[in-house]
Amino acid sequence: MQDNKDSKIQELEAIVDNFADSLAESLFHATQILSKIVETTERYYDGSHSRFVADRSALVATELGMNEADVTTIKIAAQLHDIGKVGMPDTLLFKYQNEMSDKELNQYRQHPELGYNILKLHPNFSEIAQIILQHHEKIDGSGFPRFLTRDSIHIGAKIIGVVSYYHNQLHLRQRAKGENFQGSVQYSSTSAFLTSTRERYNSAMNYLNRKAGVLYDKKIVSIFTGIIEAERREMGLRSIMRLPINAIEPGMVFAEDYFTSFGMLIAAKGESTTKESIRALSKFFDSGELPHRMLVMK
């Protein structure tokens, strides 16, 4: 009798585990689809803004000692934080807030709420939606849309606010005359990249440290700036080269953006390679969507 009962329990546990795996897989695929939609708003960046913010936000959350589930929630929220910008005009996508007219600024400031309203419809995205709603809030109450302060702001939103500000300052492409933009810049060496971005890097870091404890959480700023400083030191030791796909190894960093023939970003400048990403890129290469050699930092 007991053996029969134990068998039933094991059977029920297996059903629950399979259901949980199915839900997790469904959430993953939904996130991937939504992130591709978000990337349509990123054509004025070098690299992918959402991927950078997602990866670095996850690193900060991990350094803060958060558990794996919370880190994953924050990473997904960071990947989708600008989903409310989908459909907004280019005049909002390429400008900093201090360059916008009153009308443009009012429209821009709606994007956290628009993102929230999109994602709150799915029960598995409820916390993610809240983080997205709050990612422009500041701890002194000067943010938007709800003018929240300190502990009333989700920790994930505080992290995203810091990381997103930094990436915007360094990687939003500079506008040339009229409505023309500089294309994605290629660098002959890592030292050339570090030199060319040094002024914007110093400006962004000075601002974050100056506003730590005023607009941004001090601990988050400290952890994030430490991560970025370490990345730039390591980058100075790397070399830039063009390699065939079969010579690219995990840990190398893309030094150029790569798009499919229909405009989908498949490899973003500044993104590290993994076994999984190399495997996926090989399929794009086999279908003729990638050049014979890719520019990477080794």
Side-chain angles (χ1 to χ4, degrees):
M1 180 71 72
Q2 184 62 40
D3 289 344
N4 199 27
K5 184 178 179 181
D6 290 344
S7 176
K8 285 291 184 183
I9 290 173
Q10 290 173 1
E11 186 179 335
L12 287 171
E13 286 176 344
I15 291 171
V16 170
D17 287 343
N18 288 335
F19 182 64
D21 290 343
S22 177
L23 281 177
E25 187 174 351
S26 174
L27 184 63
F28 172 77
H29 288 307
T31 300
Q32 294 304 301
I33 292 168
L34 291 170
S35 67
K36 292 301 179 188
I37 295 172
V38 172
E39 286 179 359
T40 64
T41 70
E42 298 181 344
R43 55 189 172 276
Y44 298 117
Y45 286 97
D46 281 326
S48 169
H49 179 66
S50 56
R51 294 189 202 182
F52 180 96
V53 177
D55 289 343
R56 301 325 185 273
S57 292
L59 290 176
V60 173
T62 301
E63 286 291 315
L64 284 169
M66 302 178 76
N67 62 46
E68 186 177 351
D70 288 340
V71 171
T72 299
T73 295
I74 290 170
K75 184 171 184 177
I76 293 172
Q79 198 162 357
L80 303 179
H81 74 281
D82 276 341
I83 194 168
K85 289 182 180 178
V86 173
M88 286 190 169
D90 284 359
T91 51
L92 299 185
L93 300 179
F94 66 66
K95 289 182 179 180
Y96 294 110
Q97 290 183 57
N98 61 6
E99 298 175 317
M100 296 177 188
S101 67
D102 290 343
K103 183 179 179 181
E104 289 171 339
L105 188 59
N106 181 58
Q107 187 175 4
Y108 172 82
R109 288 187 169 182
Q110 294 175 29
H111 81 267
E113 199 122 29
L114 290 171
Y116 168 76
N117 288 332
I118 292 168
L119 294 178
K120 73 175 184 179
L121 301 173
H122 195 301
N124 290 329
F125 282 102
S126 58
E127 185 177 4
I128 290 166
Q130 281 292 337
I131 296 172
I132 288 171
L133 176 66
Q134 299 175 18
H135 78 273
H136 273 289
E137 302 287 358
K138 301 293 188 291
I139 64 173
D140 68 347
S142 65
F144 60 88
R146 303 289 172 84
F147 312 107
L148 303 179
T149 59
R150 300 193 179 275
D151 292 342
S152 59
I153 305 171
H154 193 290
I155 185 69
K158 292 178 182 177
I159 294 171
I160 293 169
V162 171
V163 183
S164 181
Y165 169 81
Y166 171 83
H167 190 265
N168 272 319
Q169 297 308 303
L170 256 75
H171 298 287
L172 187 63
R173 290 183 192 166
Q174 299 301 291
R175 188 160 43 137
K177 293 180 180 179
E179 299 299 313
N180 297 318
F181 285 79
Q182 297 172 2
S184 182
V185 181
Q186 291 187 17
Y187 299 97
S188 58
S189 67
T190 53
S191 60
F193 168 78
L194 294 173
T195 299
S196 70
T197 58
R198 184 172 295 133
E199 185 177 343
R200 281 189 284 168
Y201 168 77
N202 289 338
S203 175
M205 285 300 197
N206 287 337
Y207 182 84
L208 286 173
N209 283 295
R210 194 166 67 250
K211 297 299 182 180
V214 181
L215 302 181
Y216 305 108
D217 183 281
K218 277 187 176 181
K219 191 168 186 180
I220 290 171
V221 170
S222 176
I223 291 172
F224 174 70
T225 55
I227 289 170
I228 296 301
E229 286 167 359
E231 284 185 1
R232 285 178 72 89
R233 281 196 302 270
E234 182 189 350
M235 189 180 293
L237 303 175
R238 291 177 178 262
S239 301
I240 292 182
M241 58 192 70
R242 287 196 181 275
L243 295 175
I245 189 68
N246 59 6
I248 295 176
E249 300 173 354
M252 293 181 180
V253 176
F254 295 112
E256 191 173 31
D257 290 332
Y258 291 94
F259 298 85
T260 64
S261 57
F262 47 90
M264 184 180 80
L265 181 66
I266 51 176
K269 181 188 291 188
E271 203 169 52
S272 294
T273 58
T274 63
K275 287 183 179 179
E276 292 75 20
S277 67
I278 294 169
R279 195 178 303 122
L281 287 172
S282 295
K283 294 178 181 178
F284 283 108
F285 176 79
D286 291 341
S287 62
E289 293 284 356
L290 286 172
H292 291 292
R293 291 177 175 268
M294 302 179 72
L295 198 66
V296 295
M297 287 185 282
K298 182 179 181 181

